[in-house]
Amino acid sequence: MALNKVKLRRNFLKLLGLGTIILGGILSFFAKDILSTKPSLPTTTQPKTYMLPMPKFSSNMMLEKALACRRSIRDYLDVPIPLDALSMILWAAQGVTEFNYGFRTCPSAGGTYPLEVYAVVGKECVMIEDGKFLPEGSYKYNCKTHSITMVKDQDLREPLSKASLGQYWVRDARINIVVCAVYERTTGRYGDRGYKYVYMEDGHVGQNIYLMAAALRLGTVAIGAFYDDEVKNVIGAQDNEHPLYVMPIGVPRHFYEINEADISKYYTRIRGQQ
Ligand SMILES: Cc1cc2nc3c(=O)[nH]c(=O)nc-3n(C[C@H](O)[C@H](O)[C@H](O)COP(=O)(O)O)c2cc1C
C-alpha cells in the first residue's frame, strides 16, 4: 500500500515536470512576440498583413513651416525610408482620429469614406530595422487597424511608372501611394453630386500626404496623369476601386525650404510695386 503511494507520487511528479517543460516551451515560443519592445517591427497577424508602428506626434516641424515647405518634388535619392515614415504617411491619408464614429484625418461627406489607399513598395525601399526591409509589393491600407495587407508581391514601380505615362519619378520613388475611389459609397447617398464630393476628398488626402511628407522632410508629388485601368491592374485594385492620385514618396535630393523672413521679404517687395 505504502509502496503504491510512493509510486503514485513519483508518477504525479513526473507528469508535473513534463507539463512544466511543455508549458515553458509554449510560453518561450510566444514570449519573443509578446515581450518584443522594438516599436517599428511589424507583427504578422495573418499571412502578409503587417501591423504598422503606432502613429507618433514626433515631427519637429510646425504646421506653418510644413505649409511653406510643401513642394512637388520629383527627384529622389536612392535611399530607403523608415517604416515609421510609411506609417505616418498612411495615417495622414486616412488614419482614425475619433473613436465613436471612426472619423479620420480627412473630412468626408456624410462620413461615407469613399477612398481606399494602396502603398506600392519597392524592393529594399522601406526599412523595418537595420538591414531588414518590408517585402516589395502592393499593399492595401486598413485604416481601422492601421495595418497593410499585401495584394501583390513584386516591385511594381516600373509598370506603375509606365501606366503613369512614363513619369520616371514614379519608378525612382521608394513607395507610391495610390488613392482610389469607390464612388458608390458616396453617390449612393448623394446621387451625382457625390462625384464632386469624392474628388474633394481626394484633394484632402493629397494635401495631407504632401504636408506629412514635408514634416518628415520627404518629397512627394500629386500625379493625375495616368491610364486608370492600367494603374488599377498594376496595383491589384478591386473592380469598383478607381485610381485618382498616384503619389510617389522618396528622400528628396533637394528639400525645398523657406522661412518666415523669406515670405515677409517677398510680400514687402510685391506691396512696394503696387
Ligand atoms: C490634380 C493634379 C494633377 C497633377 N498631375 C501631375 C502629374 O501627372 N505629374 C506631375 O509631375 N505633377 C502633377 N501635378 C503637380 C503639379 O504639377 C504641381 O502641383 C504644380 O506644378 C505646382 O507645384 P507645387 O505643387 O510645388 O506647388 C498635379 C497636381 C494636381 C493638383
Side-chain angles (χ1 to χ4, degrees):
M1 192 66 175
L3 203 66
N4 273 350
K5 260 191 184 169
V6 171
K7 263 189 182 170
L8 215 67
R9 198 184 309 150
R10 263 195 209 144
N11 284 343
F12 172 72
L13 286 175
K14 267 187 201 164
L15 267 173
L16 196 69
L18 198 67
T20 311
I21 289 167
I22 293 170
L23 193 69
I26 292 170
L27 278 178
S28 68
F29 179 76
F30 286 112
K32 275 187 279 144
D33 286 340
I34 296 166
L35 299 176
S36 170
T37 51
K38 284 179 187 149
S40 59
L41 198 69
T43 50
T44 309
T45 53
Q46 47 177 281
K48 314 278 174 143
T49 290
Y50 295 85
M51 294 298 156
L52 291 165
M54 291 299 172
K56 291 186 197 78
F57 299 0
S58 58
S59 92
N60 52 13
M61 193 181 284
M62 288 189 304
L63 176 62
E64 298 90 319
K65 177 92 178 167
L67 282 164
C69 297
R70 183 213 66 80
R71 192 87 291 136
S72 291
I73 296 174
R74 302 174 180 84
D75 192 8
Y76 313 116
L77 295 174
D78 190 6
V79 294
I81 64 165
L83 183 69
D84 289 293
L86 172 61
S87 162
M88 290 313 293
I89 296 276
L90 289 171
W91 185 77
Q94 281 290 277
V96 173
T97 51
E98 191 274 345
F99 318 120
N100 285 323
Y101 299 99
F103 293 153
R104 307 182 190 172
T105 49
C106 289
S108 174
T112 49
Y113 295 110
L115 303 176
E116 294 293 337
V117 180
Y118 286 79
V120 174
V121 175
K123 187 172 163 60
E124 300 196 348
C125 284
V126 173
M127 191 150 66
I128 294 169
E129 58 185 59
D130 267 354
K132 203 170 169 200
F133 297 93
L134 189 65
E136 63 271 29
S138 170
Y139 293 85
K140 189 170 184 178
Y141 179 55
N142 180 338
C143 66
K144 290 193 177 134
T145 50
H146 193 52
S147 63
I148 48 175
T149 298
M150 190 184 265
V151 178
K152 284 190 170 186
D153 65 356
Q154 305 129 40
D155 189 333
L156 298 162
R157 289 174 297 165
E158 188 76 55
L160 191 61
S161 167
K162 278 193 186 135
S164 309
L165 317 183
Q167 299 187 62
Y168 57 83
W169 32 100
V170 171
R171 182 201 61 207
D172 295 347
R174 300 299 91 185
I175 56 178
N176 284 270
I177 303 297
V178 183
V179 185
C180 296
V182 181
Y183 292 108
E184 57 269 26
R185 286 185 198 156
T186 308
T187 56
R189 181 162 329 164
Y190 297 107
D192 281 355
R193 195 168 182 79
Y195 290 105
K196 184 168 156 172
Y197 294 159
V198 173
Y199 298 136
M200 289 171 174
E201 291 189 30
D202 182 49
H204 294 305
V205 172
Q207 183 73 356
N208 276 14
I209 292 175
Y210 262 116
L211 292 177
M212 194 70 240
L216 298 170
R217 302 185 80 83
L218 294 172
T220 188
V221 50
I223 289 184
F226 51 77
Y227 299 110
D228 296 7
D229 286 348
E230 280 185 32
V231 167
K232 195 166 153 174
N233 216 4
V234 168
I235 66 171
Q238 288 168 19
D239 279 351
N240 63 348
E241 296 175 340
H242 304 282
L244 291 178
Y245 259 154
V246 173
M247 297 190 71
I249 312 264
V251 177
R253 193 169 302 278
H254 306 289
F255 184 70
Y256 180 79
E257 198 150 15
I258 53 165
N259 54 39
E260 225 176 81
D262 298 326
I263 291 173
S264 288
K265 229 191 286 174
Y266 166 77
Y267 284 130
T268 306
R269 182 168 58 78
I270 296 299
R271 285 176 188 179
Q273 291 167 2
Q274 304 299 303

